[in-house]
mmCIF file of all heavy atoms in Angstrom:
data_model
loop_
_atom_site.group_PDB
_atom_site.id
_atom_site.type_symbol
_atom_site.label_atom_id
_atom_site.label_comp_id
_atom_site.label_asym_id
_atom_site.label_seq_id
_atom_site.Cartn_x
_atom_site.Cartn_y
_atom_site.Cartn_z
ATOM 1 N N GLU A 1558 -6.423 -31.046 5.156
ATOM 2 C CA GLU A 1558 -6.825 -31.638 4.025
ATOM 3 C C GLU A 1558 -8.053 -30.899 3.407
ATOM 4 O O GLU A 1558 -9.027 -30.787 4.196
ATOM 5 C CB GLU A 1558 -7.199 -33.114 4.418
ATOM 6 C CG GLU A 1558 -7.382 -34.117 3.150
ATOM 7 C CD GLU A 1558 -7.758 -35.490 3.664
ATOM 8 O OE1 GLU A 1558 -6.987 -36.056 4.536
ATOM 9 O OE2 GLU A 1558 -8.870 -35.988 3.340
ATOM 10 N N ARG A 1559 -7.944 -30.506 2.138
ATOM 11 C CA ARG A 1559 -9.025 -29.693 1.512
ATOM 12 C C ARG A 1559 -9.929 -30.801 1.026
ATOM 13 O O ARG A 1559 -9.693 -31.645 0.334
ATOM 14 C CB ARG A 1559 -8.545 -29.003 0.365
ATOM 15 C CG ARG A 1559 -9.431 -27.936 -0.101
ATOM 16 C CD ARG A 1559 -8.701 -27.096 -1.214
ATOM 17 N NE ARG A 1559 -9.511 -25.896 -1.718
ATOM 18 C CZ ARG A 1559 -10.366 -26.033 -2.707
ATOM 19 N NH1 ARG A 1559 -10.614 -27.327 -3.306
ATOM 20 N NH2 ARG A 1559 -11.010 -24.977 -3.117
ATOM 21 N N TRP A 1560 -11.298 -30.470 1.674
ATOM 22 C CA TRP A 1560 -12.331 -31.511 1.254
ATOM 23 C C TRP A 1560 -13.116 -30.907 0.089
ATOM 24 O O TRP A 1560 -14.042 -31.786 -0.339
ATOM 25 C CB TRP A 1560 -13.242 -31.791 2.499
ATOM 26 C CG TRP A 1560 -12.562 -32.982 3.348
ATOM 27 C CD1 TRP A 1560 -11.433 -33.495 3.137
ATOM 28 C CD2 TRP A 1560 -13.324 -33.593 4.391
ATOM 29 N NE1 TRP A 1560 -11.280 -34.452 4.057
ATOM 30 C CE2 TRP A 1560 -12.412 -34.544 4.779
ATOM 31 C CE3 TRP A 1560 -14.524 -33.414 5.054
ATOM 32 C CZ2 TRP A 1560 -12.748 -35.374 5.851
ATOM 33 C CZ3 TRP A 1560 -14.854 -34.293 6.044
ATOM 34 C CH2 TRP A 1560 -13.980 -35.276 6.558
ATOM 35 N N GLY A 1561 -12.935 -29.617 -0.224
ATOM 36 C CA GLY A 1561 -13.815 -29.076 -1.301
ATOM 37 C C GLY A 1561 -13.845 -27.610 -1.114
ATOM 38 O O GLY A 1561 -13.389 -27.024 -0.264
ATOM 39 N N GLY A 1562 -14.412 -26.949 -2.317
ATOM 40 C CA GLY A 1562 -14.326 -25.509 -2.217
ATOM 41 C C GLY A 1562 -14.988 -24.960 -3.347
ATOM 42 O O GLY A 1562 -15.487 -25.718 -4.283
ATOM 43 N N THR A 1563 -14.905 -23.658 -3.664
ATOM 44 C CA THR A 1563 -15.572 -23.025 -4.737
ATOM 45 C C THR A 1563 -14.823 -23.420 -6.026
ATOM 46 O O THR A 1563 -13.550 -23.329 -6.041
ATOM 47 C CB THR A 1563 -15.777 -21.538 -4.584
ATOM 48 O OG1 THR A 1563 -16.559 -21.137 -5.707
ATOM 49 C CG2 THR A 1563 -14.498 -20.810 -4.493
ATOM 50 N N ILE A 1564 -15.522 -23.568 -7.126
ATOM 51 C CA ILE A 1564 -14.816 -23.824 -8.357
ATOM 52 C C ILE A 1564 -14.953 -22.523 -9.179
ATOM 53 O O ILE A 1564 -14.466 -22.339 -10.207
ATOM 54 C CB ILE A 1564 -15.621 -24.850 -9.241
ATOM 55 C CG1 ILE A 1564 -17.050 -24.627 -9.407
ATOM 56 C CG2 ILE A 1564 -15.444 -26.208 -8.519
ATOM 57 C CD1 ILE A 1564 -17.631 -25.643 -10.408
ATOM 58 N N ASP A 1565 -15.545 -21.434 -8.621
ATOM 59 C CA ASP A 1565 -15.520 -20.094 -9.366
ATOM 60 C C ASP A 1565 -15.493 -19.016 -8.242
ATOM 61 O O ASP A 1565 -14.422 -18.706 -7.770
ATOM 62 C CB ASP A 1565 -16.726 -19.940 -10.272
ATOM 63 C CG ASP A 1565 -18.068 -20.528 -9.674
ATOM 64 O OD1 ASP A 1565 -18.494 -20.019 -8.611
ATOM 65 O OD2 ASP A 1565 -18.637 -21.357 -10.463
ATOM 66 N N ASP A 1566 -16.521 -18.283 -7.876
ATOM 67 C CA ASP A 1566 -16.467 -17.148 -7.036
ATOM 68 C C ASP A 1566 -16.518 -17.583 -5.495
ATOM 69 O O ASP A 1566 -17.113 -18.706 -5.195
ATOM 70 C CB ASP A 1566 -17.740 -16.262 -7.247
ATOM 71 C CG ASP A 1566 -17.770 -15.518 -8.589
ATOM 72 O OD1 ASP A 1566 -16.709 -15.579 -9.244
ATOM 73 O OD2 ASP A 1566 -18.894 -15.043 -8.869
ATOM 74 N N ALA A 1567 -15.861 -16.820 -4.697
ATOM 75 C CA ALA A 1567 -16.012 -17.103 -3.138
ATOM 76 C C ALA A 1567 -17.413 -16.579 -2.764
ATOM 77 O O ALA A 1567 -18.042 -15.745 -3.521
ATOM 78 C CB ALA A 1567 -14.970 -16.306 -2.405
ATOM 79 N N LEU A 1568 -17.876 -17.074 -1.615
ATOM 80 C CA LEU A 1568 -19.238 -16.680 -1.199
ATOM 81 C C LEU A 1568 -19.313 -15.194 -1.013
ATOM 82 O O LEU A 1568 -20.287 -14.493 -1.245
ATOM 83 C CB LEU A 1568 -19.577 -17.544 -0.019
ATOM 84 C CG LEU A 1568 -21.015 -17.348 0.594
ATOM 85 C CD1 LEU A 1568 -22.053 -17.394 -0.409
ATOM 86 C CD2 LEU A 1568 -21.259 -18.239 1.661
ATOM 87 N N GLY A 1569 -18.337 -14.585 -0.159
ATOM 88 C CA GLY A 1569 -18.401 -13.163 0.106
ATOM 89 C C GLY A 1569 -18.363 -12.417 -1.278
ATOM 90 O O GLY A 1569 -18.941 -11.324 -1.250
ATOM 91 N N GLU A 1570 -17.600 -12.877 -2.211
ATOM 92 C CA GLU A 1570 -17.565 -12.137 -3.475
ATOM 93 C C GLU A 1570 -18.802 -12.186 -4.165
ATOM 94 O O GLU A 1570 -19.327 -11.248 -4.854
ATOM 95 C CB GLU A 1570 -16.512 -12.985 -4.296
ATOM 96 C CG GLU A 1570 -16.042 -12.398 -5.688
ATOM 97 C CD GLU A 1570 -15.080 -13.397 -6.319
ATOM 98 O OE1 GLU A 1570 -14.746 -14.400 -5.770
ATOM 99 O OE2 GLU A 1570 -14.716 -13.002 -7.503
ATOM 100 N N ALA A 1571 -19.691 -13.327 -3.972
ATOM 101 C CA ALA A 1571 -20.967 -13.439 -4.695
ATOM 102 C C ALA A 1571 -21.834 -12.494 -3.947
ATOM 103 O O ALA A 1571 -22.591 -11.789 -4.568
ATOM 104 C CB ALA A 1571 -21.548 -14.854 -4.411
ATOM 105 N N PHE A 1572 -21.850 -12.252 -2.563
ATOM 106 C CA PHE A 1572 -22.601 -11.333 -1.945
ATOM 107 C C PHE A 1572 -22.191 -9.869 -2.413
ATOM 108 O O PHE A 1572 -23.025 -9.025 -2.662
ATOM 109 C CB PHE A 1572 -22.279 -11.295 -0.337
ATOM 110 C CG PHE A 1572 -23.182 -12.253 0.410
ATOM 111 C CD1 PHE A 1572 -22.882 -13.501 0.637
ATOM 112 C CD2 PHE A 1572 -24.409 -11.658 0.792
ATOM 113 C CE1 PHE A 1572 -23.705 -14.352 1.425
ATOM 114 C CE2 PHE A 1572 -25.397 -12.506 1.536
ATOM 115 C CZ PHE A 1572 -25.001 -13.750 1.810
ATOM 116 N N ASP A 1573 -20.840 -9.696 -2.679
ATOM 117 C CA ASP A 1573 -20.491 -8.332 -3.001
ATOM 118 C C ASP A 1573 -20.948 -8.026 -4.508
ATOM 119 O O ASP A 1573 -21.268 -6.909 -4.767
ATOM 120 C CB ASP A 1573 -18.766 -8.220 -2.974
ATOM 121 C CG ASP A 1573 -18.348 -8.342 -1.636
ATOM 122 O OD1 ASP A 1573 -19.083 -7.919 -0.666
ATOM 123 O OD2 ASP A 1573 -17.294 -8.726 -1.299
#
Side-chain angles (χ1 to χ4, degrees):
E1558 192 179 303
R1559 193 176 186 273
W1560 274 9
T1563 184
I1564 58 169
D1565 40 57
D1566 293 347
L1568 181 53
E1570 189 181 358
F1572 268 96
D1573 293 336

